[in-house]
């Protein structure tokens, strides 16, 4: 459970800092860049066990239990991150505008 909190807080803090900077300077492209960075960090933290997994003698990797849950969450993180990275600047300008 601690790993999920680390991932969540890391991503939220990075997005809040980027959002504040983007709003003050009207540079919403920062959201896209930071979202991509946050997705990489979250995916590496969540999928580290899978990345280090060694194939069995038959050359296959079997995912079950925690490894399967990590793979599923990693895929969801990638999908959400790609949406934020792709449309964060557009949605940020539309929803929040600029400070100046």
């Amino acid at each position: 459970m601690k790993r999920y909190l680390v991932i969540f807080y890391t991503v939220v803090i990075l997005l809040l800092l980027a959002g504040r900077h983007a709003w003050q300077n009207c540079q919403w492209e920062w959201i896209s860049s930071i979202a991509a960075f946050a997705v990489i960090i979250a995916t590496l933290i969540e999928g580290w066990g899978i990345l280090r997994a060694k194939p069995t003698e038959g050359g296959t990797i079997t995912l079950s239990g925690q490894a399967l849950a990590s793979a599923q969450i990693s895929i969801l993180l990638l999908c959400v991150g790609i949406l934020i990275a792709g449309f964060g600047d557009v949605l940020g300008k539309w929803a929040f505008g600029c400070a100046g």
Side-chain angles (χ1 to χ4, degrees):
M1 187 66 179
K2 288 182 184 179
R3 183 174 61 205
Y4 297 124
L5 291 176
V6 169
I7 293 168
F8 178 75
Y9 289 134
T10 301
V11 170
V12 167
I13 288 170
L14 286 174
L15 287 176
L16 285 175
L17 290 172
R20 182 164 187 232
H21 176 76
W23 182 70
Q24 286 178 338
N25 299 316
C26 201
Q27 295 176 342
W28 286 98
E29 298 79 24
W30 277 86
I31 294 292
S32 298
S33 301
I34 296 298
F37 182 68
V39 167
I40 290 169
I41 290 173
T43 304
L44 285 176
I45 291 171
E46 183 57 38
W48 189 250
I50 295 169
L51 292 172
R52 293 188 43 150
K54 304 283 188 226
T56 59
E57 194 170 302
T60 61
I61 297 176
T62 304
L63 297 178
S64 61
Q66 184 64 30
L68 180 61
S70 291
Q72 291 169 339
I73 290 174
S74 295
I75 291 170
L76 289 174
L77 285 170
L78 286 171
C79 293
V80 170
I82 290 170
L83 282 175
I84 292 172
F87 297 104
D89 54 341
V90 175
L91 293 176
K93 285 180 186 175
W94 175 76
F96 300 107
C98 296

